[in-house]
């Protein structure tokens, strides 16, 4: 019994003498919000990228990327967001849009707005709104069209706005996937896990 009590007291003493360690990001100029395109669908998993071009218009940057699917279908992704100079702030917001154009099917566009805050004690990113639209060829029909976003302020991880889609035609062909925009606070060093 004395041995168990001694072990218990030793454990308590060790816990009380723990030192908390925190890290601080001193390189303020390198902080920015990272926008990324994610492929979590069947459509582009095995696609071949054949071209990518970046264009800057004022404080906006557009990336146009062309892919070819295994069956030869061409897919063009157009992604517009604020450039890095516009987003290097600890408090800010931006709206990004992404259009996927699938040859012989039409296009899907997602627009998502984000805001973020980073201070000594608080760090979060939030998708404040998302909308989506489609411009389909006359033979394409909609089987699934779900527009959604992450809810509330995200302290760990990323905020997302997206649409899941599934189109088909009278020949029994179909195309499905999702178009997503993700915003992450990449400079986050925090103990709020």
């Amino acid at each position: 019994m004395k041995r168990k009590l001694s072990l218990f007291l030793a454990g308590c003493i060790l816990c009380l003498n723990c030192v908390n360690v925190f890290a601080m990001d001193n390189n303020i100029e390198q902080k920015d919000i990272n926008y990324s395109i994610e492929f979590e669908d069947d459509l582009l998993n095995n696609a071949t990228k054949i071209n990518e071009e970046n264009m800057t218009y004022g404080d906006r940057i557009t990336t146009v990327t062309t892919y070819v699917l295994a069956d030869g279908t061409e897919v063009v992704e157009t992604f517009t967001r604020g450039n890095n100079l516009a987003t290097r702030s600890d408090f800010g917001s931006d709206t990004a849009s992404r259009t996927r154009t699938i040859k012989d099917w039409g296009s899907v566009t997602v627009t998502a707005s984000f805001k973020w805050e980073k201070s000594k004690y608080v760090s979060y990113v939030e998708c404040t709104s998302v909308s989506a639209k489609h411009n389909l060829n006359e033979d394409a029909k909609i089987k699934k069209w779900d527009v959604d976003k992450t809810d509330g302020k995200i302290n760990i991880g990323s905020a997302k706005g997206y649409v899941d889609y599934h189109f088909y035609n009278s020949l029994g062909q179909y195309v499905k996937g999702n178009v997503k925009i993700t915003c992450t606070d990449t400079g986050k060093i925090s103990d709020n896990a």
Side-chain angles (χ1 to χ4, degrees):
M1 185 69 165
K2 288 182 182 181
R3 182 178 174 107
K4 288 182 181 179
L5 181 59
S6 296
L7 288 174
F8 175 75
L9 291 174
C12 289
I13 290 170
L14 285 175
C15 289
L16 292 174
N17 287 324
C18 288
V19 176
N20 291 324
V21 177
F22 300 92
M24 223 169 93
D25 187 359
N26 292 324
N27 192 359
I28 293 173
E29 290 304 310
Q30 293 302 314
K31 296 175 185 174
D32 82 85
I33 299 298
N34 175 43
Y35 291 93
S36 65
I37 295 176
E38 293 185 4
F39 302 137
E40 294 180 358
D41 55 54
D42 298 331
L43 185 68
L44 296 175
N45 281 344
N46 297 313
T48 302
K49 181 165 71 171
I50 60 172
N51 189 43
E52 183 173 294
E53 184 178 357
N54 290 306
M55 297 157 282
T56 303
Y57 306 98
D59 67 347
R60 309 295 291 166
I61 186 168
T62 299
T63 302
V64 180
T65 310
T66 305
Y67 298 87
V68 174
L69 306 181
D71 66 0
T73 302
E74 185 178 271
V75 178
V76 178
E77 293 274 337
T78 304
F79 187 46
T80 302
R81 70 276 187 204
N83 64 26
N84 287 341
L85 295 176
T87 58
R88 286 186 182 176
S89 170
D90 286 343
F91 304 90
S93 62
D94 196 9
T95 299
S97 66
R98 176 182 171 197
T99 299
R100 172 179 292 175
T101 304
I102 308 167
K103 184 180 178 184
D104 298 327
W105 287 94
S107 64
V108 175
T109 300
V110 172
T111 302
S113 295
F114 300 95
K115 71 176 181 178
W116 59 90
E117 177 180 334
K118 184 167 183 159
S119 68
K120 186 175 179 182
Y121 303 107
V122 177
S123 180
Y124 75 84
V125 62
E126 179 180 10
C127 182
T128 56
S129 69
V130 64
S131 62
K133 62 182 180 179
H134 52 77
N135 184 11
L136 299 180
N137 294 356
E138 61 184 35
D139 294 333
K141 309 294 182 199
I142 298 172
K143 182 175 182 178
K144 180 181 182 181
W145 182 259
D146 292 331
V147 182
D148 205 354
K149 68 179 184 68
T150 52
D151 289 329
K153 297 176 180 179
I154 308 297
N155 296 98
I156 298 172
S158 56
K160 302 172 185 178
Y162 59 93
V163 60
D164 291 323
Y165 65 87
H166 185 153
F167 308 138
Y168 68 96
N169 63 24
S170 60
L171 300 175
Q173 300 167 322
Y174 69 91
V175 62
K176 65 179 180 177
N178 65 58
V179 178
K180 181 182 297 185
I181 300 174
T182 301
C183 180
T184 305
D185 182 350
T186 58
K188 182 177 182 181
I189 301 173
S190 176
D191 65 336
N192 64 348

